Amino acid sequence: MDLKGKVALITGAAAGIGLAYSEELLKHGAKVSLCDIDSDIGEQIADELGAKYGRKNVLFCQCDVTDYPQYEEAFEMTIKVFNRLDIVINNAGVMNDRFWELEVDVNLNGVIRGTLLAYRFMGKDRGGQGGTIVNTASTAFARPQVSTPIYTATNYAVVGLTRAYGDQYHVNLTGVRSLVLCPGLTDTGLVKEIRKQLMSSEYEAAWQRDNANCKTQSSEHVGRALIEILTKGQSGSVWVVENGQAPREWRG
Ligand SMILES: NC(=O)C1=CN([C@@H]2O[C@H](COP(=O)(O)OP(=O)(O)OC[C@H]3O[C@@H](n4cnc5c(N)ncnc54)[C@H](O)[C@@H]3O)[C@@H](O)[C@H]2O)C=CC1
Ligand SMILES: CCCCCC(=O)/C=C/C=C\C/C=C\C/C=C\CCCC(=O)O
């Protein structure tokens, strides 16, 4: 896929993996709409990326993915400013099983909202030009993270959603391809104080076991994997990137 001139909307773009995706897309000549709940950091990041890659190529939209009207406005603003939309990356996520209803609302319902909006604005059956949806899940979908059962469940669900919408039936109907990228342990701010993010502080031993054999990778590594899967990923495909290795397709 030639990314030059393409427009991508990325959620959770102010930090971590979403920020790495955004910078990698800019390096490849795309324009980015950075969507994040955190407007202070988001505006600052947009200024920095704009100074580096051209101000006309970067937009920040304050957007909470749990709020459908706000999310819809971010799509409208992106299309108003860039005049097109080609790629939607549902990446915003949290890991906190203590606040599991919010976790489900961000990690699963947020991806569903982003997917429905992507079809509405890019679907050929709705007057759009077609495009690509990329969802971020986690390797926890294939190897359950025992310390965070509810976080794990949201990742299973996102993979299921992507595989179903990724079927050729939906591609024929809408011209929209769907992929999912599942990183393993990545060095970001997702964990701030692990004891407070587990349902019970007793699960800390399980957290240590979950991560025992994992090599932490950088978010930049995951950003590069995104470009690779955008280039060669078939609709409905599931990609794992972990331990700093090249992305590989997961075939069940
Ligand atoms: N860090 C890791 O080891 C892994 C992360 N992931 C997934 O990658 C995605 C990104 O996570 P990281 O970059 O690690 O986290 P992060 O905490 O570094 O960044 C997440 C970003 O999402 C934003 N955000 C949070 N709630 C939001 C909401 N309601 N609406 C809009 N934006 C919101 C935050 O403000 C932040 O900028 C998540 O879906 C996470 O589950 C998957 C596997 C491993
Ligand atoms: C093994 C399952 C991998 C799934 C990863 C995932 O979805 C969520 C990971 C959450 C947090 C990663 C954040 C930071 C990583 C940095 C250091 C980890 C140190 C591990 C430890 O011993 O505490």
Side-chain angles (χ1 to χ4, degrees):
M1 182 183 195
D2 183 6
L3 292 167
K4 206 163 171 26
K6 295 281 193 301
V7 173
L9 181 154
I10 305 120
T11 67
I17 291 170
L19 171 57
Y21 286 164
S22 304
E23 180 144 21
E24 206 58 43
L25 286 162
L26 284 163
K27 278 185 199 164
H28 284 80
K31 299 171 195 282
V32 295
S33 172
L34 312 172
C35 299
D36 204 286
I37 194 170
D38 189 335
S39 56
D40 290 342
I41 298 182
E43 297 281 9
Q44 186 192 319
I45 291 289
D47 275 353
E48 286 168 18
L49 292 179
K52 212 165 158 187
Y53 297 99
R55 299 203 183 277
K56 65 178 191 331
N57 298 325
V58 183
L59 169 72
F60 175 72
C61 297
Q62 202 272 339
C63 157
D64 178 348
V65 299
T66 69
D67 181 333
Y68 188 89
Q70 224 180 71
Y71 205 171
E72 189 178 29
E73 264 179 43
F75 273 76
E76 286 166 351
M77 178 61 76
T78 303
I79 292 169
K80 191 172 166 197
V81 169
F82 292 130
N83 220 19
R84 59 184 293 153
L85 180 61
D86 305 284
I87 300 165
V88 172
I89 306 186
N90 290 306
N91 167 76
V94 292
M95 190 181 82
N96 195 326
D97 272 12
R98 288 202 189 182
F99 296 95
W100 62 267
E101 283 165 312
L102 174 65
E103 190 178 51
V104 173
D105 207 11
V106 176
N107 296 8
L108 174 57
N109 298 348
V111 175
I112 295 173
R113 290 182 192 99
T115 299
L116 296 179
L117 286 165
Y119 282 119
R120 188 171 127 202
F121 287 95
M122 299 195 301
K124 285 188 173 163
D125 54 331
R126 311 285 289 271
Q129 303 293 311
T132 301
I133 298 171
V134 181
N135 298 321
T136 304
S138 156
T139 51
F141 94 93
R143 276 192 309 272
Q145 192 159 265
V146 175
S147 53
T148 57
I150 298 162
Y151 174 79
T152 295
T154 63
N155 286 295
Y156 268 72
V158 168
V159 170
L161 181 83
T162 316
R163 292 180 70 194
Y165 267 131
D167 190 89
Q168 199 57 40
Y169 174 83
H170 291 287
V171 180
N172 292 344
L173 208 61
T174 63
V176 176
R177 165 178 76 136
S178 286
L179 312 168
V180 58
L181 182 55
C182 305
L185 203 61
T186 307
D187 195 2
T188 70
L190 193 69
V191 170
K192 294 186 175 72
E193 203 176 337
I194 191 61
R195 295 183 70 237
K196 293 189 178 164
Q197 293 174 243
L198 305 174
M199 184 71 89
S200 156
S201 53
E202 287 175 14
Y203 292 179
E204 244 187 296
W207 167 254
Q208 296 302 338
R209 274 201 305 276
D210 283 333
N211 295 308
N213 298 315
C214 303
K215 190 173 150 212
T216 307
Q217 61 193 359
S218 69
S219 51
E220 290 77 13
H221 180 73
V222 182
R224 289 189 289 275
L226 170 75
I227 304 300
E228 199 172 325
I229 74 157
L230 274 174
T231 307
K232 63 182 187 196
Q234 301 275 322
S235 191
S237 58
V238 180
W239 294 83
V240 166
V241 57
E242 61 180 344
N243 301 323
Q245 295 163 357
R248 63 174 196 280
E249 190 171 350
W250 180 85
R251 293 180 188 275

